């Protein structure tokens, strides 16, 4: 079968110039690629329209199918990227970037439905955090070991069990750090490679069930409901969606044997609304990851701010360092690392995928970590999107969930393979 495919690819490449001339001469519907040469939002929309719901054996099968049907709307360089990948020829830097985006599309086609089912399972565990997790943060001065379990321990244990089960199925490594944080990593992470951490959390705000009424339908906050193109449920936007998306993106890396130069790890905090007790403890007892991405805000990219303890009127940040102890160079790296190669890569992926104007990154509205180096907040909400109605009904569109899946997959592959990040 592969011999036939390679033969067809050679024939298609040979005829490509002729096909392009026909498209231009006939006033074809060729769509302009992104300025970088990568797939534009318009091209992605056409691919989704043509390929969504189709079965594919693997990524190579999808790439071949896209090449074979993309003559009228893909650029010559994009087609060359697909052809070289399909026949396992070396790829240039720009061609790799094209294939990272194609990989993102493949991921949502392959596992979009499965990811939604896993999100449903996760939402059904009501991990409402509260005073108990704040107590964990307050006790850090007295009890460095933090052996006390939170009052929502049953939900934390249930979540750990589910994520551990998913990790095993996906070929990922799972580790529970006390009851405060779960660490999920790729099996081919290397001890001497640079560490990139993607930060998420399971804690959700309590829901007033009486307010969860949409178009006359009464919804259960702790059940994922699909209604008129929207997803409803506590954690669908903040932040269980991110956990599921990252894990499925990592699954694709394993299944397709996408080798990465940098270690990529998912850190799942069991708190959040009680101000990140889990990550604070983790950073006190572990070496901080070299690069950190918080998937708990808005696109495209936001700069970091400090973490503050809930109810602390003095606005003193919790954690190993306070603001006065953060070195000038470290604070500068957080404030300016969107100018770095990896920061620019995040910015480009977001702006091209959302068809947005490249804007100067703003300061993050939610907590980030001044005491962790190279920290940026990246999605997963649209700019100026609240993710909840005035009564607190949390929602996200199905299309945006799938686009987030595409974006995160591309980001993991892209920054995971970057030789120079700074």
């Amino acid at each position: 079968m592969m011999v036939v495919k390679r033969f067809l690819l050679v024939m298609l490449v040979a005829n490509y110039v002729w096909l392009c001339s026909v498209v231009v001469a006939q006033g074809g519907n060729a769509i302009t690629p992104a300025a970088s040469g990568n797939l534009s939002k318009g091209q992605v929309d056409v691919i989704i329209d043509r390929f969504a719901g189709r079965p594919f054996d693997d990524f190579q099968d999808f790439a071949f199918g896209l090449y074979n049907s993309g003559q009228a709307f893909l650029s010559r360089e994009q087609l060359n990227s697909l052809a070289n990948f399909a026949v396992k020829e070396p790829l240039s830097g720009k061609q790799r970037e094209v294939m990272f985006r194609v990989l993102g599309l493949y991921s949502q086609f392959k596992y979009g439905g499965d990811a939604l089912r896993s999100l449903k399972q996760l939402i059904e565990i009501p991990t409402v955090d509260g005073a108990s997790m704040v107590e964990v943060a307050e006790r850090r001065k007295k009890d460095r070991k933090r052996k006390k379990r939170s009052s929502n321990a049953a939900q934390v244990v249930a979540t750990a069990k589910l994520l551990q089960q998913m990790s095993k199925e996906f070929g990922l490594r799972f580790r529970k750090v006390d009851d405060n944080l779960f660490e999920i990593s790729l099996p081919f992470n290397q001890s001497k490679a640079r560490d990139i951490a993607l930060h998420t959390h399971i804690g959700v705000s309590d829901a007033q069930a009486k307010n969860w009424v949409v178009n006359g339908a009464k919804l259960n906050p702790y059940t994922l409901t699909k209604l008129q193109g929207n997803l409803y449920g506590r954690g669908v936007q903040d932040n269980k969606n991110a956990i599921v998306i990252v894990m499925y993106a990592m699954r694709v890396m394993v299944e397709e044997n996408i080798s990465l130069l940098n270690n990529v790890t998912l850190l799942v905090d069991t708190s959040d609304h009680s101000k990140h007790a889990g990550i604070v403890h983790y950073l006190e007892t572990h070496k901080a990851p070299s690069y950190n991405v918080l998937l708990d805000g808005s696109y495209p990219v936001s700069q970091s701010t400090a973490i503050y303890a809930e109810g602390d009127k003095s606005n003193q940040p919790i954690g190993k360092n306070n603001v006065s102890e953060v070195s000038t160079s470290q604070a500068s790296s957080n404030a300016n690392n969107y100018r770095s190669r990896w920061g620019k890569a995040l910015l480009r992926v977001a702006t091209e995928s959302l068809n947005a104007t490249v804007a100067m990154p703003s300061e993050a509205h939610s907590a980030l970590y001044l005491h962790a180096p190279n920290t940026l907040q990246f999605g997963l909400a649209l700019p100026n999107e609240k993710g909840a109605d005035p009564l607190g009904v949390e929602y996200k569109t199905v299309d945006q969930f799938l686009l987030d899946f595409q974006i995160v997959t591309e980001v993991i592959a892209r920054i995971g393979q970057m030789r120079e990040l700074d």
Side-chain angles (χ1 to χ4, degrees), residues 3-246:
V3 173
V4 175
K5 287 184 176 181
R6 290 185 182 184
F7 173 77
L8 289 174
L9 282 172
V10 171
M11 294 299 294
L12 287 169
V13 170
N15 287 300
Y16 175 75
V17 174
W18 176 80
L19 287 169
C20 282
S21 65
V22 171
V23 170
V24 173
Q26 294 180 355
N29 296 320
I31 300 174
T32 305
S36 66
N38 211 327
L39 296 174
S40 66
K41 181 66 166 59
Q43 290 176 311
V44 167
D45 289 343
V46 172
I47 294 170
I48 291 173
D49 183 60
R50 294 191 179 191
F51 285 89
R54 289 193 192 179
F56 298 100
D57 294 335
D58 53 25
F59 181 41
Q60 191 172 50
D61 185 39
F62 172 66
F64 177 79
L66 179 57
Y67 180 94
N68 200 25
S69 63
Q71 303 293 322
F73 62 90
L74 296 178
S75 71
R76 180 173 185 174
E77 183 59 29
Q78 290 167 349
L79 288 166
N80 287 341
S81 301
L82 291 163
N84 287 348
F85 173 80
V87 297
K88 300 184 178 180
E89 290 292 327
L91 302 178
S92 68
K94 285 189 176 296
Q95 287 178 335
R96 283 197 301 271
E97 291 177 4
V98 170
M99 294 312 301
F100 295 153
R101 188 152 302 166
V102 175
L103 181 67
L105 281 162
Y106 166 76
S107 297
Q108 64 153 300
F109 294 153
K110 179 75 173 180
Y111 287 119
D114 290 341
L116 285 171
R117 285 186 283 274
S118 294
L119 179 60
K120 181 179 185 296
Q121 290 179 288
L122 202 54
I123 286 176
E124 288 174 350
I125 305 174
T127 49
V128 179
D129 57 21
S132 59
M133 296 306 289
V134 177
E135 290 173 1
V136 173
E138 291 175 346
R139 286 188 60 212
R140 68 184 184 83
K141 294 181 180 179
K142 298 179 180 179
D143 182 10
R144 294 306 233 186
K145 295 184 178 181
R146 287 192 178 88
K147 294 295 184 181
K148 180 182 177 181
R149 282 192 171 187
S150 63
S151 61
N152 65 346
Q155 286 73 34
V156 173
V157 170
T159 302
K161 183 178 180 180
L162 174 60
L163 298 185
Q164 187 171 18
Q165 178 183 346
M166 290 172 61
S167 297
K168 183 178 181 180
E169 180 184 348
F170 297 176
L172 308 175
R173 295 172 180 167
F174 177 90
R175 187 170 77 95
K176 185 169 70 171
V177 183
D178 298 329
D179 289 315
N180 297 296
L181 185 137
F182 310 137
E183 184 184 81
I184 301 170
S185 57
L186 291 165
F188 36 76
N189 277 2
Q190 306 173 41
S191 59
K192 295 184 179 180
R194 293 165 297 187
D195 295 314
I196 300 173
L198 306 177
H199 297 262
T200 61
H201 61 84
I202 66 170
V204 298
S205 298
D206 198 6
Q208 299 295 321
K210 65 180 181 180
N211 295 333
W212 282 66
V213 179
V214 178
N215 295 333
K218 188 174 182 180
L219 309 182
N220 183 342
Y222 302 107
T223 296
L224 182 65
T225 302
K226 184 178 178 181
L227 186 64
Q228 297 179 342
N230 287 335
L231 300 169
Y232 295 91
R234 185 58 91 214
V236 72
Q237 178 76 280
D238 184 20
N239 187 241
K240 294 183 177 183
N241 59 313
I243 299 171
V244 170
I245 283 171
V246 173

Side-chain angles (χ1 to χ4, degrees), residues 212-334:
W212 282 66
V213 179
V214 178
N215 295 333
K218 188 174 182 180
L219 309 182
N220 183 342
Y222 302 107
T223 296
L224 182 65
T225 302
K226 184 178 178 181
L227 186 64
Q228 297 179 342
N230 287 335
L231 300 169
Y232 295 91
R234 185 58 91 214
V236 72
Q237 178 76 280
D238 184 20
N239 187 241
K240 294 183 177 183
N241 59 313
I243 299 171
V244 170
I245 283 171
V246 173
M247 291 189 69
Y248 272 91
M250 295 171 82
R251 176 181 190 172
V252 171
M253 301 298 150
V254 174
E255 291 181 348
E256 298 299 327
N257 196 26
I258 308 294
S259 59
L260 303 180
L261 299 174
N262 306 305
N263 295 336
V264 176
T265 300
L266 171 63
L267 299 181
V268 182
D269 198 328
T270 63
S271 62
D272 171 60
H273 297 88
S274 52
K275 302 304 175 186
H276 301 276
I279 189 61
V280 169
H281 172 48
Y282 184 85
L283 292 175
E284 287 181 342
T285 56
H286 295 71
K287 180 183 177 182
S290 304
Y291 303 87
N292 296 272
V293 183
L294 183 64
L295 302 173
D296 189 20
S298 299
Y299 293 114
V301 177
S302 298
Q303 299 172 15
S304 62
T305 58
I307 306 173
Y308 296 99
E310 184 172 307
D312 185 351
K313 303 304 181 183
S314 64
N315 280 337
Q316 291 298 310
I318 61 178
K320 188 173 182 179
N321 300 318
N322 60 36
V323 170
S324 62
E325 294 174 326
V326 176
S327 67
T328 302
S329 60
Q330 185 169 312
S332 177
S333 72
N334 275 343

